[in-house]
Amino acid sequence: MTLSEKECRERYLRCDNPPVIIDAHSHLWLWQHTVVDGKRIEQLPDGRSSFLGNEVQMMNPWMHDNYNSVEKFLANMNYAQVGGAVVTQEFIDGIQNDYLDYVSRRWPERFFVYGMCDFRVPGFIIEAQVLARRGFKGIKLPAARLIGDTWRVMIDGEEFMEMYRMMERQGMTLGIELADGGVQCREVENIISACPRLKIVIGHFCMVTRPDWMEQVRLARHDNVYIDMGGITWLFNDEYYPYPSAVKAIREAADVVGMDRLLWGSDYPRTITAITYRQSYDWILKTTELTDHEKRQLLGLNAQKVYGFTSLPVLPYIPNMSE
């Protein structure tokens, strides 16, 4: 069962202590221009991209200038009453360290940003050390992109382990997205064993719609491991809003590792080509399958603990003209 839009909004507005909402998985870039696996990714007009040999709607068509800028994201966040956001990175967007450094310095109360190295090239440890000196509090590892048809980069190799130990000493967070199922889980277990105080956040809800996804979930039984839900609406896109199977998957994961290990994330801007930004989380508010406290944990309390947000704004509800 789900609550209606009106019931959901009225419950939120009546609340003396409205929920903290933090997006634990989003993306920003000023220019998308890169190569992955020998294939180009280039921006096209009206929010489209040439993506690994295909043309896709990467962003909403009203983002016709193709700038996925922080100002546009803040407008969406303010409208949807999302107080803070974690900005991650991926090879398909190109390395965005300089822009995200600007974002975190300009709006430190609203954003936690990940730096990223080119892990496909040996010697990245120098990049990681520079990111730490620049003040980045996290480093993103798109581990699933490090496995090809005939090659593989082991993410528990010597240079990686040197980076993890440095991050553990610096109190940094490792964001990681893994290949489907348990392909890289043994390597992650080795990382956890060597660096038990390194905070690790596994992205894309462990690729929930793929076989053996619970192998990744079980990694969050370790005290230093968490799971973000970035892209969950994309993974359940065939079912579509309000994603009842996604709610069941949340319950299944929470039964194994606890609701305090799970963080809502939107995967903005790619997912809002199919739904609005508010819809990327309000299906959680609307379901009657989760308690109010569990919803608060998922939507913000857990992310607040993991990422250390302390000065989030209180954002009022602005009614739509059509209401």
Side-chain angles (χ1 to χ4, degrees):
M1 286 183 59
T2 59
L3 300 171
S4 69
E5 187 82 39
K6 185 173 184 292
E7 289 172 322
C8 184
R9 184 171 67 251
E10 288 180 347
R11 177 178 291 192
Y12 184 97
L13 292 172
R14 284 200 307 268
C15 183
D16 293 331
N17 183 26
V20 172
I21 303 179
I22 297 170
D23 188 341
H25 189 118
S26 64
H27 297 267
L28 294 173
W29 62 82
L30 280 186
W31 194 253
Q32 193 180 48
H33 174 82
T34 189
V35 176
V36 174
D37 295 336
K39 297 180 180 179
R40 301 203 66 83
I41 299 171
E42 302 276 1
Q43 296 185 176
L44 298 172
D46 301 329
R48 303 191 309 274
S49 289
S50 175
F51 181 73
L52 306 178
N54 298 300
E55 185 172 316
V56 299
Q57 192 71 46
M58 184 68 66
M59 301 180 287
N60 264 318
W62 53 258
M63 298 168 83
H64 55 84
D65 59 6
N66 281 41
Y67 291 126
N68 176 30
S69 68
V70 64
E71 289 83 4
K72 291 173 183 173
F73 190 26
L74 279 168
N76 273 285
M77 291 169 62
N78 292 342
Y79 168 75
Q81 297 169 281
V82 175
V86 178
V87 185
T88 187
Q89 297 201 52
E90 228 274 24
F91 289 146
I92 64 172
D93 301 331
I95 295 175
Q96 302 290 330
N97 294 332
D98 290 342
Y99 186 49
L100 297 192
D101 186 28
Y102 159 74
V103 168
S104 66
R105 294 178 187 277
R106 174 64 178 81
W107 292 277
E109 74 286 355
R110 301 293 298 269
F111 295 102
F112 178 106
V113 304
Y114 278 103
M116 188 172 70
C117 312
D118 193 345
F119 300 105
R120 299 164 293 189
V121 181
F124 60 80
I125 184 62
I126 302 300
E127 296 179 70
Q129 292 166 344
V130 170
L131 289 173
R133 286 197 294 271
R134 290 179 70 176
F136 281 88
K137 297 177 182 178
I139 292 177
K140 171 63 181 296
L141 173 57
R145 299 281 181 191
L146 299 179
I147 300 178
D149 293 335
T150 60
W151 58 275
R152 178 170 179 170
V153 177
M154 302 300 291
I155 60 172
D156 59 350
E158 182 177 345
E159 188 171 17
F160 282 98
M161 297 305 289
E162 183 180 354
M163 181 184 74
Y164 305 140
R165 288 189 288 267
M166 180 271 293
M167 293 176 66
E168 185 180 39
R169 291 193 301 270
Q170 298 279 353
M172 300 174 75
T173 299
L174 174 66
I176 189 167
E177 280 149 21
L178 302 173
D180 295 356
V183 173
Q184 294 171 304
C185 285
R186 184 179 294 276
E187 293 158 73
V188 177
E189 288 281 7
N190 291 339
I191 297 166
I192 295 167
S193 178
C195 302
R197 296 185 305 281
L198 173 63
K199 194 179 296 179
I200 300 172
V201 181
I202 301 171
H204 288 167
F205 207 57
C206 304
M207 298 304 290
V208 55
T209 54
R210 310 293 168 76
D212 302 321
W213 70 286
M214 289 298 294
E215 292 195 40
Q216 292 185 32
V217 170
R218 283 189 281 271
L219 293 169
R221 289 173 170 172
H222 294 278
D223 291 341
N224 58 325
V225 181
Y226 300 85
I227 297 167
D228 81 48
M229 295 162 55
I232 193 170
T233 60
W234 150 60
L235 290 163
F236 285 100
N237 184 64
D238 288 347
E239 180 182 82
Y240 203 61
Y241 184 89
Y243 312 107
S245 294
V247 175
K248 293 178 182 177
I250 290 171
R251 176 62 66 197
E252 185 177 354
D255 286 345
V256 174
V257 299
M259 198 67 73
D260 62 332
R261 297 278 137 185
L262 310 180
L263 291 64
W264 166 73
S266 70
D267 209 12
Y268 175 99
R270 284 181 269 270
T271 50
I272 64 165
T273 58
I275 55 176
T276 68
Y277 186 52
R278 187 189 294 275
Q279 284 178 311
S280 69
Y281 76 79
D282 74 358
W283 55 275
I284 295 175
L285 284 176
K286 288 179 177 180
T287 183
T288 59
E289 304 302 314
L290 300 169
T291 69
D292 284 348
H293 179 64
E294 288 171 335
K295 294 174 185 180
R296 287 175 180 270
Q297 287 179 295
L298 291 170
L299 291 176
L301 294 182
N302 296 341
Q304 196 168 29
K305 177 181 67 174
V306 172
Y307 289 107
F309 288 92
T310 58
S311 302
L312 296 173
V314 177
L315 299 169
Y317 178 82
I318 306 298
N320 294 325
M321 185 66 183
S322 57
E323 290 181 38

